[in-house]
C-alpha cells in the first residue's frame, strides 16, 4: 500500500497491529570494518520486514513509526534485531496480517475508496478568538489558533476597539490564506455567535478586492456563514449539524458521527433507560439483545490486546447481524474525542433497561 | 496542499498550549509550532508557583486610609445590573433615567433623537445613550454592557445595562458579576412577556437565575411597556403571579423583590409618581427611583486584601497609559498603591483612579473604577485577569471541583461534556472529568456516588478541567472569584461555586 494523504496514514495506523509484519524500504546505520582497521558507521538503504511490536502515529511529522524485530534474512541485519520503520506519505509498504477480520477489511475498503474529498475548512470564531480547522475524511485537524485582547466598546475606548478588531481580523485573514486551499476543500465555513462572522466576512471580501486576492475572489460562492454558540473548538459540532453545511457533507464520516452522537444524547435526555455507556453496561445490554445502535471509538480497537479486540469485533458484527447499526468513530474527529471521554463505547437501546442503573459501571 | 504546512491533530484537548508562544500579541508566530499560535503574552502564565510569595505570612491588616470616612459623609456606591429578555426596554429605560436625572443634556438628547431618526430607529433614541457603538445602533441591540452613572438620594448608582440577546450572555455575565442589585425588565405586552419566560427560548428565566447565582438577592422587577397594555391591573397581576413563583424557586425572598409597573417610553412612574389616571387608580406604590433608594446597602469587604477582577483594559490613544476597569471585590486602592496583575505576574503601581470620569483619591470594595496603571505592559493584562495585593496573590487554577445546580432545560451532563466555564470576567473552554456525587436538595449531603449523568434540577459535585488557567478561589475564601457558570450550546446549563482548587 502507498499512503497518499494523512487520512491514509491514519487508516494504516488503525490497520497495523502488534503481531502483524510490515515490509518497507528503510535506512539503517551499519557498522563496517574500514580498510584502516577502525570501525565506520554507514547509512545503508535496505528493504526490511519486521514483526510488529509497537506502532506510533506522529501527529506533527505525519509519519508512522513501527518498531519490531527483523524476520527476513539480510546481509546487514540479523534476524531478531530491533528496528524502527518509518512510513511516510508516498512510501510504499507491505502489510501481512495473520487474520484480516471484518473491521480491518472495512478500514481497507474505506481507505481505497476514491470518493470525493469531504474536506471542509472551518473558521470558528468569537470576538478575540479564532480557530482554523480542517475537517477531513477521518480526522479533524487544528491549523491555527488566534487570540487577541479586544477592549469593550464604550466611551473613549471606541477607537481602540475598532483598531484592535481590525488587527484581529487581519490575523485571521492571513491564517485563512495560509491554511485554506480551495483546490482541496469543498467549501469554507465562517462560524461565530453574534455578528462576528458577518463582520469578518465583510472584511475578508473587502480586503480580497482591495489586494486582489485571487483565491478568495474566485471562490466567493464557496464561503458560507453558520451561527454557533461560541468560538471554542467544541462548537464545531454545531457547524457540522447546520442544515446548509449538512447538505454538503451528509455522507461523510464526520457528519454521520455528529448525528449518531447527538441521537445518543437526545435519548439520554428523553428516555435515559434506553441509553447506556461504558463497557460493562454495553456488554449487559448486548447480552439482553437490546442494542439498536452501537457507538464505539477506533481507539478501543487499536489499543486492545488480541482477545479484547476480538470481543469488540464480535460485538460489532453481532449488532449488525441482528439488524442494528454500529458506528466506529474516528478518535480524531470531535465526536470521537467526546465519545472517548465518555469511556469510548455507548449504545442506544431497543427497549428500556432500567436496572442498568444498579449495575456498577 | 502545500508540502510545507505541517499537519497537526485535533488532539489538543487540554489546551493548545504551545510553549513556543513567545510571539507577541498580534504578530504571526514564526517558526513551526505544530499549531500556528497567536496569543497575548499574559496567557503564557509567566508566574510559576515558586515565584509567588507564600501565603503563610503575617495576616493582612488594612491601613487607616482604607476604612470609610465618617458615617453618612459619602454616598454609597451601588452597582445595579439591568437585565431581562431581548427588547424588554432595558437600554431605553436606562437612557430615560439618565436623561431625567440630568446626566444627559438636552442638547445631547436632541442629537440622539435626530441621528436615530435618520437611521430609521427613532424609538431607540434613549437607548443610544447606552448603546454607543455603530454596530449596536444599526442593529438596535445591546451587545456589551453599557456603563453609566447617576445619583439618587442615597446612592451613587453605577448602571450596568446588559445585553438581552442570547448570543451575548457571556457579556451579560460580566455585568452580573459586578452587581449588588438588579432590575429585571419585563415587556408587559401580550405575547412578549410569554416569549420572555419561555424556558428554552426566553432569556427572562436565565437572566434571573444567573443574577441570583452571582449573589444578588435584591431585585426590582420593572414591568415595562405598561402603556401598550393600557396600564391594566389584571395584566400586572398575571405577570406578578407567574414570574413571582419562578423567582421564589430561584431563591429570591418575597420581601426582597419589588414590583414596579412603568413605561419608559411615556415616562410613567420612573422618577416621580405616575400622571396617568389609569395607573394611579390601582397603584400607589413607589416609583422606580424610590425603589432603588429603598435597596439595602450591600456589605463591603474593606478589611481584606485588595482584589479587583478586571472587566476591561483600555489603552489611551493620547497618553499611551494602560487602565484596568472593574469593581473592587475587596480591599482598597489609592494612587501609589502597588498592585500585582494575575496571572501574568506583572507588578505595577496605581497612577490615578477615576470614577464616573472624575478622579478620585481612594477606591474601596464595591467601587467601580478605572485604574490607571504604571509599569504594566499592555500585553500582560487583559479582561479576565485580576488585580491584587503583591503579598496576597490570588491563585490560578486549571482543574477545579465545583458544587453546581443544573438548570431547567439543560441537556444531560456526562463525563467528557464540553462546556464554557465562566468565573468573574474570565471564560475558558472546559471539560467535565469527574462527576463525584449527587446532592440531596434538602439536606445538601451526598446522596449518590458517581451518577451516570446529571439532569436538570439536580445538584451535584463535579470536577472540570479548563483549557487554560484562570484566576479563581474557593468560594468560601472569596465570593467574587468563586462563583461560576457553565454554558453549552448557547444556554447556561449550570451555576454554582468552586469548592476546591486541584493541583495537577
Amino acid at each position: 500500500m502507498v499512503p497518499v494523504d494523512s487520512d491514509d496514514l491514519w487508516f494504516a495506523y488503525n490497520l497495523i497491529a502488534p503481531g502483524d509484519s510490515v515490509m518497507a524500504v528503510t535506512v539503517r546505520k551499519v557498522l563496517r570494518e574500514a580498510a584502516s582497521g577502525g570501525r565506520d558507521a554507514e547509512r545503508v538503504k535496505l528493504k526490511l520486514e519486521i514483526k510488529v511490536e509497537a506502532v506510533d502515529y506522529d501527529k506533527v511529522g505525519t509519519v508512522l513509526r513501527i518498531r519490531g524485530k527483523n524476520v527476513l534474512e539480510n546481509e546487514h541485519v540479523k534476524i531478531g534485531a530491533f528496528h524502527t520503520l518509518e512510513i511516510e506519505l508516498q512510501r510504499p509498504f507491505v502489510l501481512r496480517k495473520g487474520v484480516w477480520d471484518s473491521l480491518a477489511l472495512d478500514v481497507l475498503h474505506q481507505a481505497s475508496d476514491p470518493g470525493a474529498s469531504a474536506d471542509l475548512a472551518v473558521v470558528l470564531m468569537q470576538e478575540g478568538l479564532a480557530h482554523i480547522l480542517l475537517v477531513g475524511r477521518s480526522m479533524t485537524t487544528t491549523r491555527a489558533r488566534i487570540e487577541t485582547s479586544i477592549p469593550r466598546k464604550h466611551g473613549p475606548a471606541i477607537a481602540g476597539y475598532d483598531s484592535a478588531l481590525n488587527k484581529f481580523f487581519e490575523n485571521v485573514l492571513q491564517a485563512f490564506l495560509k491554511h485554506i486551499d480551495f483546490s482541496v476543500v469543498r467549501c469554507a465555513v465562517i462560524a461565530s455567535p453574534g455578528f462576528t462572522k458577518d463582520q469578518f466576512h465583510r472584511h475578508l471580501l473587502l480586503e480580497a478586492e482591495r489586494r486582489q486576492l485571487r483565491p478568495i475572489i474566485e471562490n466567493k460562492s464557496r464561503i458560507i456563514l453558520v451561527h454557533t454558540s461560541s468560538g471554542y473548538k467544541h462548537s464545531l459540532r454545531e457547524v457540522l449539524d447546520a442544515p446548509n453545511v449538512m447538505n454538503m457533507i451528509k455522507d461523510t464520516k464526520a457528519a454521520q458521527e455528529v448525528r449518531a452522537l447527538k441521537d445518543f444524547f437526545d435519548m439520554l435526555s428523553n428516555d435515559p433507560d434506553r441509553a447506556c455507556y461504558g463497557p460493562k453496561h454495553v456488554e449487559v445490554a448486548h447480552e439482553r439483545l437490546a442494542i439498536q445502535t452501537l457507538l464505539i471509538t477506533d481507539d478501543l480497537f487499536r489499543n486492545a490486546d488480541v482477545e479484547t479486540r476480538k470481543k469488540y469485533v464480535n460485538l460489532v458484527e453481532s449488532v449488525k447481524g441482528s439488524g442494528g447499526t454500529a458506528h466506529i468513530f474516528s478518535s480524531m474527529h470531535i465526536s470521537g474525542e467526546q465519545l472517548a471521554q465518555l469511556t469510548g463505547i455507548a449504545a442506544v437501546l431497543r427497549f428500556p433497561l432500567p436496572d442498568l442503573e444498579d449495575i456498577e459501571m | 496542499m502545500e508540502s510545507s504546512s505541517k499537519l497537526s491533530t485535533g488532539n489538543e484537548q487540554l489546551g493548545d498550549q504551545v510553549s513556543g508562544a513567545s510571539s507577541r500579541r498580534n504578530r504571526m508566530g514564526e517558526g513551526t509550532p505544530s499549531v500556528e499560535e497567536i496569543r497575548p503574552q499574559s496567557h503564557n502564565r509567566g508566574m510559576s508557583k515558586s515565584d509567588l510569595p507564600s501565603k503563610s505570612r503575617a495576616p493582612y491588616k488594612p491601613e487607616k486610609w482604607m476604612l470609610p470616612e465618617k458615617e453618612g459623609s459619602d454616598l454609597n456606591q451601588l452597582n445595579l445590573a439591568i437585565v431581562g429578555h431581548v427588547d424588554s426596554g432595558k437600554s431605553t429605560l436606562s437612557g430615560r433615567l439618565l436623561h431625567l436625572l440630568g446626566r444627559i443634556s438636552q442638547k445631547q438628547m436632541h442629537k440622539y433623537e435626530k441621528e436615530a431618526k435618520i437611521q430609521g430607529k427613532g424609538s431607540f433614541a434613549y437607548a443610544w445613550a447606552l448603546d454607543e457603538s455603530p454596530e449596536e445602533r444599526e442593529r438596535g441591540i445591546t451587545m456589551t454592557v453599557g456603563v453609566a452613572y447617576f445619583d439618587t438620594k442615597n446612592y451613587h448608582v453605577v448602571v450596568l445595562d446588559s445585553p438581552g440577546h442570547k448570543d451575548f450572555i457571556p457579556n451579560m455575565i460580566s455585568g452580573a458579576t459586578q452587581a449588588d442589585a438588579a432590575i429585571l425588565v419585563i415587556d408587559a405586552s401580550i405575547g412578549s412577556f410569554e416569549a420572555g419566560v419561555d424556558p428554552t427560548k426566553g432569556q427572562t428565566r436565565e437572566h434571573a437565575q444567573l443574577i441570583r447565582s452571582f449573589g444578588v438577592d435584591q431585585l426590582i422587577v420593572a414591568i415595562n411597556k405598561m402603556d401598550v397594555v393600557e396600564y391594566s391591573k389584571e395584566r400586572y397581576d398575571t405577570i406578578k403571579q407567574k414570574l413571582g413563583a419562578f423567582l421564589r424557586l430561584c431563591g429570591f425572598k418575597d420581601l426582597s423583590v419589588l414590583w414596579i409597573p412603568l413605561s419608559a417610553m411615556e415616562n410613567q412612574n420612573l422618577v416621580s409618581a405616575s400622571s396617568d389616571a389609569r395607573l394611579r387608580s390601582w397603584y400607589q406604590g413607589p416609583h422606580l427611583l424610590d425603589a432603588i433608594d429603598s435597596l439595602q446597602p450591600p456589605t463591603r469587604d474593606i478589611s481584606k486584601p485588595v482584589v479587583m477582577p478586571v472587566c476591561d483594559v483600555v489603552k489611551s490613544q493620547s497618553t499611551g497609559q494602560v487602565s484596568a476597569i472593574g469593581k473592587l471585590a475587596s480591599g482598597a486602592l489609592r494612587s501609589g498603591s502597588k498592585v500585582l496583575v494575575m496571572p501574568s505576574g506583572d507588578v505595577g503601581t496605581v497612577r490615578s483612579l477615576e470614577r464616573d470620569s472624575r478622579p478620585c483619591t481612594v477606591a474601596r470594595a464595591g467601587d467601580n473604577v478605572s485604574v490607571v496603571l504604571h509599569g504594566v505592559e499592555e500585553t500582560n493584562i487583559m479582561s479576565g485577569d485580576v488585580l491584587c495585593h503583591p503579598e496576597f496573590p490570588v491563585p490560578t487554577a486549571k482543574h477545579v471541583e465545583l458544587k453546581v445546580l443544573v438548570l431547567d432545560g439543560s441537556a444531560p451532563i456526562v463525563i467528557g461534556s464540553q462546556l464554557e466555564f465562566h468565573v468573574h470576567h474570565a471564560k475558558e473552554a472546559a471539560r467535565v472529568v469527574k462527576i463525584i456525587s449527587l446532592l440531596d436538595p434538602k439536606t445538601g449531603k451526598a446522596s449518590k456516588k458517581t451518577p451516570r449523568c446529571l439532569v436538570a434540577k439536580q445538584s451535584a459535585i463535579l470536577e472540570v478541567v479548563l483549557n487554560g488557567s484562570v484566576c479563581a478561589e474557593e468560594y468560601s475564601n472569596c465570593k467574587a472569584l468563586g462563583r461560576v457558570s457553565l454554558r453549552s450550546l448557547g444556554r447556561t446549563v449550570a451555576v454554582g461555586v468552586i469548592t476546591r482548587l486541584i493541583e495537577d
Side-chain angles (χ1 to χ4, degrees), chain A residues 141 147 152 227 277 337 341, chain B residues 8 10 38 167 312 431 452:
Chain A
T141 56
E147 195 171 352
R152 307 292 154 79
H227 176 271
Y277 65 90
E337 274 176 19
Q341 289 301 321
Chain B
S8 57
I38 302 165
D167 276 346
D312 216 348
R431 196 167 41 94
R452 277 193 326 154

